[in-house]
Amino acid sequence: MTDLQNLDEGNNESGDLSAQAVIKGLRSDFWKKIICYESVDSTNESALALSLNSPESRIVIISDSQAKGRGRLGRAWVSPPGRNIYMSAVLIPEIKPKNATFLTIAPALASASALRSKTGLTVKIKWPNDLMVRGRKIGGLLTELRSGNGKIKFAIMGMGINVNSGGEDFKGELGQIATSVKEETGRSYARSAIIAEILNELEQWYWKLINQGRLPLLEEWRNLSSTIGKEVRINLTREVLSGLAEDIDSEGMLVLKSASGEKRRISAGDLMELR
Ligand code: BTN
């Protein structure tokens, strides 16, 4: 691991979170640079600024807090300091842009399996890529891509995971839909060790995607899906659909069967599992 750069910028040594501690937990020299900040607007935004300037693969940006954390569908991702994981990994994978869905699934699978091995929790994936424990959201993924001429210029894989957030962070409605590792296990965890395991796992899924294509990822996604077999409601931009979530197809689309038996393939939307 000779050329791995460890940058704890802004002297971030927030207890359980530092680039050095993350590096200690890595099993290979795949990741070239780990940058750890005390606070940024959004790790995805920082990664984007870096990549637009000079795209470089295998870079990780972590922050103790985010002032303008971004969620899916234009929502905010609440990112208080000292508790949770906010990180973005930059990769330049040589895959076709039509397989880009799997660049969101790879970090979801990596996060689910790292959480399972480090904390013992059973993490499921609500379509498309919400990380769920006992029906509540414990983490989310936001992958942002730039592509051109049939190639991916770079992919920014943003991961937000609630680790040590507690009751005061989940006031009101959030208490019904969100959870954290601490809420589920009753104890606090060192974030750096979980981050390192996510990066170890992400490396593995990255190689699978490059060498074997989307099928291994699709298979594990289906295995971990909390959605397949459930009655669901999906908010799309112009309509609301409901029906049985029958499957996830080979392109990552949700196969929805309506009460009349009609099947539709949905590429994106806000999904609620009913029963
Ligand atoms: C979701 O809405 O489920 C996706 C949430 C993604 C949040 C993470 S936190 C790290 C990275 N930086 C951001 O601004 N967002 C992602």
Side-chain angles (χ1 to χ4, degrees):
M1 224 174 281
T2 46
D3 61 348
L4 196 145
Q5 283 186 46
N6 146 29
L7 303 172
D8 278 318
E9 303 210 342
N11 277 337
N12 177 52
E13 284 287 345
S14 176
D16 62 320
L17 186 66
S18 72
Q20 259 177 344
V22 171
I23 289 164
K24 266 195 207 141
L26 294 178
R27 285 196 284 276
S28 79
D29 60 1
F30 178 83
W31 297 102
K32 299 288 174 231
K33 214 184 269 176
I34 310 279
I35 306 172
C36 195
Y37 293 105
E38 203 164 307
S39 179
V40 292
D41 276 352
S42 147
T43 56
N44 270 27
E45 192 54 50
S46 305
L48 182 64
L50 212 66
S51 305
L52 287 173
N53 193 25
S54 65
E56 220 184 318
S57 192
R58 308 185 184 191
I59 308 275
V60 181
I61 296 188
I62 303 164
S63 186
D64 185 50
S65 68
Q66 300 184 117
K68 294 181 188 157
R70 301 206 292 243
R72 281 181 68 231
L73 309 169
R75 293 183 182 130
W77 188 258
V78 180
S79 312
R83 311 197 204 353
N84 300 321
I85 292 174
Y86 317 112
M87 65 191 274
S88 300
V90 184
L91 288 170
I92 306 182
E94 292 199 5
I95 61 167
K96 299 202 172 76
K98 72 169 190 182
N99 279 345
T101 301
F102 291 87
L103 295 172
T104 310
I105 301 316
L109 299 176
S111 302
S113 96
L115 283 174
R116 193 167 55 232
S117 65
K118 288 284 167 194
T119 70
L121 289 173
T122 300
V123 181
K124 295 274 182 185
I125 301 176
K126 178 162 84 78
W127 185 89
N129 52 23
D130 283 348
L131 301 174
M132 310 293 289
V133 173
R134 293 189 310 120
R136 291 187 183 180
K137 184 158 167 169
I138 202 163
L141 291 306
L142 183 66
T143 293
E144 299 183 74
L145 287 178
R146 288 290 185 279
S147 55
N149 298 329
K151 278 188 166 173
I152 290 171
K153 290 185 180 154
F154 56 84
I156 296 170
M157 303 170 169
M159 292 160 258
I161 296 172
N162 300 332
V163 179
N164 297 317
S165 264
E168 75 282 8
D169 295 317
F170 301 133
K171 283 195 209 106
E173 205 186 55
L174 215 53
Q176 302 301 309
I177 56 175
T179 191
S180 69
V181 174
K182 187 176 176 188
E183 292 274 292
E184 296 299 322
T185 61
R187 56 162 282 210
S188 299
Y189 280 82
R191 287 172 289 172
S192 296
I194 298 179
I195 291 173
E197 193 54 26
I198 294 172
L199 294 174
N200 289 327
E201 286 286 335
L202 185 55
E203 177 193 345
Q204 298 306 317
W205 287 111
Y206 170 81
W207 287 126
K208 278 195 184 141
L209 183 59
I210 300 293
N211 297 326
Q212 299 171 45
R214 59 183 125 163
L215 284 183
L217 285 85
L218 184 64
E219 191 181 301
E220 185 64 356
W221 188 12
R222 284 178 172 142
N223 279 342
L224 295 183
S225 174
S226 64
T227 308
I228 294 174
K230 292 229 174 85
E231 291 291 331
V232 300
R233 188 161 62 228
I234 309 176
N235 286 324
L236 304 178
T237 325
R238 289 200 181 82
E239 57 185 328
V240 178
L241 303 175
S242 53
L244 175 72
E246 233 188 22
D247 196 7
I248 296 170
D249 77 6
S250 62
E251 272 151 28
M253 301 217 201
L254 190 78
V255 182
L256 186 74
K257 190 175 164 193
S258 72
S260 67
E262 186 205 356
K263 285 189 191 178
R264 275 184 67 171
R265 279 159 212 274
I266 319 288
S267 62
D270 198 12
L271 180 143
M272 185 187 283
E273 294 174 349
L274 303 175
R275 56 180 184 273

